[in-house]
Short mmCIF file of all heavy atoms in Angstrom, two decimals:
data_model
loop_
_atom_site.label_atom_id
_atom_site.label_comp_id
_atom_site.label_asym_id
_atom_site.label_seq_id
_atom_site.Cartn_x
_atom_site.Cartn_y
_atom_site.Cartn_z
N ALA A 325 -116.53 223.77 137.13
CA ALA A 325 -115.76 224.82 137.62
C ALA A 325 -116.75 226.07 137.77
O ALA A 325 -117.71 226.17 137.01
CB ALA A 325 -114.66 225.05 136.82
N LEU A 326 -116.20 227.04 138.43
CA LEU A 326 -116.85 228.31 138.64
C LEU A 326 -116.04 229.50 138.12
O LEU A 326 -114.82 229.32 138.16
CB LEU A 326 -117.16 228.63 140.12
CG LEU A 326 -118.33 227.79 140.82
CD1 LEU A 326 -118.15 227.88 142.29
CD2 LEU A 326 -119.68 228.32 140.37
N LEU A 327 -116.70 230.33 137.53
CA LEU A 327 -116.00 231.65 137.23
C LEU A 327 -116.80 232.83 137.86
O LEU A 327 -118.01 233.01 137.51
CB LEU A 327 -115.85 231.83 135.61
CG LEU A 327 -115.13 233.11 135.28
CD1 LEU A 327 -113.66 233.22 135.67
CD2 LEU A 327 -115.14 233.32 133.79
N ASP A 328 -116.10 233.66 138.61
CA ASP A 328 -116.71 234.83 139.22
C ASP A 328 -116.33 236.01 138.26
O ASP A 328 -115.25 236.55 138.36
CB ASP A 328 -116.03 235.07 140.58
CG ASP A 328 -116.73 236.05 141.45
OD1 ASP A 328 -117.52 236.90 140.80
OD2 ASP A 328 -116.51 236.24 142.55
N ALA A 329 -117.25 236.35 137.56
CA ALA A 329 -117.09 237.60 136.66
C ALA A 329 -117.75 238.85 137.18
O ALA A 329 -118.01 239.69 136.45
CB ALA A 329 -117.56 237.23 135.19
N ASP A 330 -118.11 238.91 138.45
CA ASP A 330 -118.60 240.00 139.09
C ASP A 330 -117.76 240.66 139.96
O ASP A 330 -117.11 240.06 140.80
CB ASP A 330 -119.86 239.65 139.95
CG ASP A 330 -120.66 240.75 140.67
OD1 ASP A 330 -120.11 241.82 140.59
OD2 ASP A 330 -121.63 240.50 141.26
N PRO A 331 -117.42 242.12 139.72
CA PRO A 331 -116.40 242.76 140.57
C PRO A 331 -116.67 242.72 142.02
O PRO A 331 -115.73 242.98 142.82
CB PRO A 331 -116.38 244.14 139.96
CG PRO A 331 -117.51 244.22 139.04
CD PRO A 331 -117.94 242.84 138.62
N GLN A 332 -117.90 242.54 142.39
CA GLN A 332 -118.16 242.36 143.80
C GLN A 332 -117.50 241.21 144.51
O GLN A 332 -117.42 241.04 145.69
CB GLN A 332 -119.67 242.24 144.06
CG GLN A 332 -120.55 243.56 143.90
CD GLN A 332 -121.92 243.38 144.31
OE1 GLN A 332 -122.40 244.03 145.30
NE2 GLN A 332 -122.80 242.50 143.64
N ARG A 333 -117.20 240.16 143.67
CA ARG A 333 -116.55 238.96 144.12
C ARG A 333 -117.37 238.24 145.26
O ARG A 333 -116.85 237.61 146.16
CB ARG A 333 -115.21 239.26 144.67
CG ARG A 333 -114.32 239.70 143.39
CD ARG A 333 -113.87 238.68 142.41
NE ARG A 333 -112.99 239.17 141.42
CZ ARG A 333 -113.42 239.46 140.17
NH1 ARG A 333 -114.71 239.32 139.83
NH2 ARG A 333 -112.53 239.86 139.25
N THR A 334 -118.75 238.18 145.09
CA THR A 334 -119.48 237.58 146.26
C THR A 334 -119.31 236.06 146.21
O THR A 334 -119.29 235.36 147.14
CB THR A 334 -121.10 237.85 145.99
OG1 THR A 334 -121.09 239.33 145.76
CG2 THR A 334 -121.94 237.51 147.28
N LEU A 335 -119.21 235.59 144.96
CA LEU A 335 -119.04 234.14 144.65
C LEU A 335 -117.75 233.55 145.28
O LEU A 335 -117.64 232.57 145.90
CB LEU A 335 -119.22 233.79 143.29
CG LEU A 335 -119.20 232.36 142.85
CD1 LEU A 335 -120.30 231.57 143.43
CD2 LEU A 335 -119.02 232.11 141.36
N SER A 336 -116.67 234.52 144.98
CA SER A 336 -115.33 234.08 145.60
C SER A 336 -115.33 234.10 147.04
O SER A 336 -114.73 233.16 147.63
CB SER A 336 -114.31 235.11 145.10
OG SER A 336 -114.26 235.13 143.59
N ALA A 337 -116.07 234.89 147.65
CA ALA A 337 -116.09 235.10 149.14
C ALA A 337 -116.82 233.73 149.62
O ALA A 337 -116.57 233.07 150.65
CB ALA A 337 -116.71 236.24 149.57
N TRP A 338 -117.96 233.32 148.92
CA TRP A 338 -118.66 232.20 149.24
C TRP A 338 -117.88 230.95 149.15
O TRP A 338 -117.67 230.11 150.12
CB TRP A 338 -119.87 231.91 148.32
CG TRP A 338 -120.94 230.92 148.59
CD1 TRP A 338 -120.74 229.71 149.09
CD2 TRP A 338 -122.34 230.94 148.34
NE1 TRP A 338 -121.87 229.01 149.18
CE2 TRP A 338 -122.90 229.84 148.73
CE3 TRP A 338 -123.18 232.08 147.76
CZ2 TRP A 338 -124.24 229.57 148.67
CZ3 TRP A 338 -124.54 231.86 147.68
CH2 TRP A 338 -125.06 230.64 148.07
N HIS A 339 -117.10 230.92 148.12
CA HIS A 339 -116.20 229.69 147.82
C HIS A 339 -115.19 229.53 148.91
O HIS A 339 -114.74 228.47 149.28
CB HIS A 339 -115.51 230.08 146.45
CG HIS A 339 -114.69 228.91 145.97
ND1 HIS A 339 -113.35 228.86 146.04
CD2 HIS A 339 -114.95 227.77 145.27
CE1 HIS A 339 -112.82 227.72 145.44
NE2 HIS A 339 -113.87 227.08 144.95
N ALA A 340 -114.60 230.68 149.37
CA ALA A 340 -113.49 230.77 150.39
C ALA A 340 -114.12 230.62 151.80
O ALA A 340 -113.45 230.81 152.79
CB ALA A 340 -112.77 232.07 150.34
N ILE A 348 -114.40 222.71 144.48
CA ILE A 348 -114.78 223.14 143.03
C ILE A 348 -113.81 224.27 142.57
O ILE A 348 -113.70 225.33 143.25
CB ILE A 348 -116.27 223.52 142.94
CG1 ILE A 348 -117.15 222.37 143.27
CG2 ILE A 348 -116.62 223.98 141.54
CD1 ILE A 348 -118.52 222.51 143.40
N PRO A 349 -113.16 223.97 141.42
CA PRO A 349 -112.08 224.96 140.88
C PRO A 349 -112.92 226.30 140.66
O PRO A 349 -114.06 226.27 140.17
CB PRO A 349 -111.61 224.34 139.70
CG PRO A 349 -111.91 222.91 139.74
CD PRO A 349 -113.11 222.72 140.56
N ILE A 350 -112.20 227.40 140.90
CA ILE A 350 -112.85 228.75 140.59
C ILE A 350 -111.85 229.61 140.01
O ILE A 350 -110.66 229.66 140.34
CB ILE A 350 -113.37 229.35 141.95
CG1 ILE A 350 -114.33 230.53 141.55
CG2 ILE A 350 -112.34 229.68 142.93
CD1 ILE A 350 -115.26 230.96 142.82
N GLY A 351 -112.31 230.52 139.10
CA GLY A 351 -111.42 231.45 138.56
C GLY A 351 -112.23 232.90 139.03
O GLY A 351 -113.36 232.93 139.24
N ALA A 352 -111.50 234.00 138.95
CA ALA A 352 -112.06 235.28 139.03
C ALA A 352 -111.54 236.29 138.02
O ALA A 352 -110.18 236.19 137.85
CB ALA A 352 -111.83 235.83 140.54
N ALA A 353 -112.28 237.00 137.43
CA ALA A 353 -111.70 237.72 136.28
C ALA A 353 -112.57 238.96 136.10
O ALA A 353 -113.75 239.07 136.30
CB ALA A 353 -111.65 237.01 135.07
N SER A 354 -111.98 240.08 135.58
CA SER A 354 -112.56 241.41 135.21
C SER A 354 -111.93 241.85 133.96
O SER A 354 -110.83 241.57 133.62
CB SER A 354 -112.45 242.39 136.30
OG SER A 354 -112.83 241.90 137.50
N GLY A 355 -112.62 242.69 133.26
CA GLY A 355 -112.03 243.28 132.13
C GLY A 355 -111.65 242.43 131.04
O GLY A 355 -112.05 241.32 130.78
N ALA A 356 -110.33 242.76 130.61
CA ALA A 356 -109.67 241.89 129.41
C ALA A 356 -109.39 240.36 129.97
O ALA A 356 -109.16 239.72 129.04
CB ALA A 356 -108.38 242.62 129.08
N SER A 357 -109.41 240.20 131.22
CA SER A 357 -109.01 238.75 131.64
C SER A 357 -110.32 237.86 131.63
O SER A 357 -109.99 236.72 131.69
CB SER A 357 -108.27 238.90 133.02
OG SER A 357 -109.26 239.23 134.05
N VAL A 358 -111.50 238.45 131.30
CA VAL A 358 -112.57 237.57 131.46
C VAL A 358 -112.54 236.52 130.30
O VAL A 358 -112.74 235.36 130.58
CB VAL A 358 -113.89 238.38 131.36
CG1 VAL A 358 -115.12 237.39 131.17
CG2 VAL A 358 -114.07 239.20 132.61
N ASP A 359 -112.27 237.01 129.13
CA ASP A 359 -112.27 236.01 127.93
C ASP A 359 -111.22 234.94 128.12
O ASP A 359 -111.64 233.65 128.05
CB ASP A 359 -111.94 236.91 126.71
CG ASP A 359 -112.56 236.33 125.49
OD1 ASP A 359 -113.75 236.60 125.29
OD2 ASP A 359 -111.90 235.62 124.84
N PRO A 360 -109.96 235.29 128.44
CA PRO A 360 -109.00 234.08 128.60
C PRO A 360 -109.31 233.21 129.87
O PRO A 360 -109.05 232.03 129.83
CB PRO A 360 -107.62 234.80 128.70
CG PRO A 360 -107.91 236.22 129.00
CD PRO A 360 -109.30 236.53 128.44
N ALA A 361 -109.76 233.87 130.86
CA ALA A 361 -110.15 233.02 132.07
C ALA A 361 -111.23 231.98 131.68
O ALA A 361 -111.11 230.84 132.14
CB ALA A 361 -110.49 233.93 133.21
N LEU A 362 -112.27 232.56 131.08
CA LEU A 362 -113.28 231.53 130.70
C LEU A 362 -112.85 230.50 129.65
O LEU A 362 -113.20 229.30 129.92
CB LEU A 362 -114.48 232.46 130.09
CG LEU A 362 -115.76 231.57 129.68
CD1 LEU A 362 -116.25 230.63 130.80
CD2 LEU A 362 -116.90 232.42 129.35
N GLN A 363 -112.11 230.92 128.83
CA GLN A 363 -111.69 229.89 127.76
C GLN A 363 -110.73 228.84 128.43
O GLN A 363 -110.85 227.67 128.16
CB GLN A 363 -110.88 230.62 126.65
CG GLN A 363 -111.88 231.39 125.61
CD GLN A 363 -111.17 231.71 124.46
OE1 GLN A 363 -110.62 231.08 123.76
NE2 GLN A 363 -111.25 233.06 124.17
N GLY A 364 -109.86 229.42 129.29
CA GLY A 364 -109.00 228.43 130.23
C GLY A 364 -109.91 227.37 130.88
O GLY A 364 -109.57 226.26 130.80
N LEU A 365 -110.98 227.81 131.60
CA LEU A 365 -111.69 226.78 132.36
C LEU A 365 -112.53 226.05 131.38
O LEU A 365 -112.78 224.79 131.65
CB LEU A 365 -112.69 227.64 133.27
CG LEU A 365 -112.09 228.32 134.38
CD1 LEU A 365 -113.05 229.33 135.04
CD2 LEU A 365 -111.59 227.37 135.49
N MET A 366 -112.95 226.56 130.17
CA MET A 366 -113.74 225.65 129.22
C MET A 366 -112.74 224.58 128.78
O MET A 366 -113.40 223.46 128.50
CB MET A 366 -114.25 226.58 128.10
CG MET A 366 -115.35 227.49 128.42
SD MET A 366 -115.65 228.76 127.22
CE MET A 366 -116.06 227.77 125.78
N GLN A 368 -110.41 223.07 130.33
CA GLN A 368 -110.15 222.11 131.41
C GLN A 368 -111.28 221.38 132.07
O GLN A 368 -110.99 220.38 132.76
CB GLN A 368 -109.32 222.94 132.51
CG GLN A 368 -107.96 223.24 132.17
CD GLN A 368 -107.35 224.29 133.14
OE1 GLN A 368 -107.77 224.26 134.33
NE2 GLN A 368 -106.40 225.02 132.71
N HIS A 369 -112.50 221.95 131.92
CA HIS A 369 -113.63 221.36 132.59
C HIS A 369 -114.83 221.21 131.69
O HIS A 369 -114.90 221.92 130.81
CB HIS A 369 -114.09 222.28 133.79
CG HIS A 369 -112.87 222.53 134.73
ND1 HIS A 369 -112.52 221.56 135.73
CD2 HIS A 369 -112.00 223.57 134.89
CE1 HIS A 369 -111.57 221.97 136.37
NE2 HIS A 369 -111.18 223.18 135.96
N VAL A 372 -118.91 224.82 133.13
CA VAL A 372 -118.39 226.07 133.70
C VAL A 372 -119.57 226.88 134.07
O VAL A 372 -120.36 227.12 133.15
CB VAL A 372 -117.35 226.86 132.90
CG1 VAL A 372 -116.84 228.01 133.79
CG2 VAL A 372 -116.25 226.04 132.41
N ILE A 373 -119.78 227.15 135.35
CA ILE A 373 -120.82 228.06 135.78
C ILE A 373 -120.28 229.49 136.11
O ILE A 373 -119.31 229.66 136.87
CB ILE A 373 -121.60 227.50 137.01
CG1 ILE A 373 -122.00 226.06 136.63
CG2 ILE A 373 -122.73 228.51 137.36
CD1 ILE A 373 -122.76 225.41 137.77
N VAL A 374 -120.84 230.41 135.45
CA VAL A 374 -120.39 231.76 135.52
C VAL A 374 -121.28 232.78 136.32
O VAL A 374 -122.48 232.79 135.91
CB VAL A 374 -119.99 232.43 134.11
CG1 VAL A 374 -119.19 233.67 134.22
CG2 VAL A 374 -119.24 231.54 133.21
N ASP A 375 -120.77 233.43 137.26
CA ASP A 375 -121.62 234.42 137.99
C ASP A 375 -121.22 235.89 137.45
O ASP A 375 -120.05 236.14 137.24
CB ASP A 375 -121.24 234.41 139.46
CG ASP A 375 -122.21 235.34 140.33
OD1 ASP A 375 -123.28 235.55 139.82
OD2 ASP A 375 -121.84 235.64 141.33
N THR A 376 -122.28 236.63 137.02
CA THR A 376 -122.09 237.89 136.47
C THR A 376 -122.56 239.00 137.29
O THR A 376 -123.35 238.78 138.31
CB THR A 376 -122.62 238.05 135.04
OG1 THR A 376 -124.03 237.95 135.16
CG2 THR A 376 -122.10 236.91 134.23
N ALA A 377 -122.26 240.30 136.96
CA ALA A 377 -122.62 241.42 137.82
C ALA A 377 -124.05 241.73 137.54
O ALA A 377 -124.66 241.47 136.52
CB ALA A 377 -121.82 242.72 137.53
N ASP A 383 -118.08 242.93 130.97
CA ASP A 383 -117.66 241.61 131.42
C ASP A 383 -118.78 240.64 131.03
O ASP A 383 -118.47 239.42 130.77
CB ASP A 383 -117.31 241.71 132.92
CG ASP A 383 -115.98 242.50 133.13
OD1 ASP A 383 -115.38 243.09 132.22
OD2 ASP A 383 -115.64 242.61 134.34
N ALA A 386 -118.73 239.90 127.49
CA ALA A 386 -117.62 238.94 127.23
C ALA A 386 -117.98 237.47 127.53
O ALA A 386 -117.75 236.58 126.79
CB ALA A 386 -116.31 239.29 127.94
N VAL A 387 -118.66 237.33 128.71
CA VAL A 387 -119.07 235.94 129.11
C VAL A 387 -120.15 235.42 128.06
O VAL A 387 -120.09 234.30 127.68
CB VAL A 387 -119.76 235.98 130.50
CG1 VAL A 387 -120.45 234.67 130.89
CG2 VAL A 387 -118.66 236.17 131.45
#
Side-chain angles (χ1 to χ4, degrees):
L326 284 162
L327 178 64
D328 187 351
D330 179 353
Q332 285 191 114
R333 297 286 182 257
T334 317
L335 182 64
S336 301
W338 187 324
H339 185 265
I348 293 176
I350 192 170
S354 305
S357 69
V358 170
D359 209 82
L362 180 52
Q363 288 190 56
L365 289 169
M366 286 163 67
Q368 288 167 23
H369 301 283
V372 185
I373 302 185
V374 188
D375 188 27
T376 65
D383 294 358
V387 168

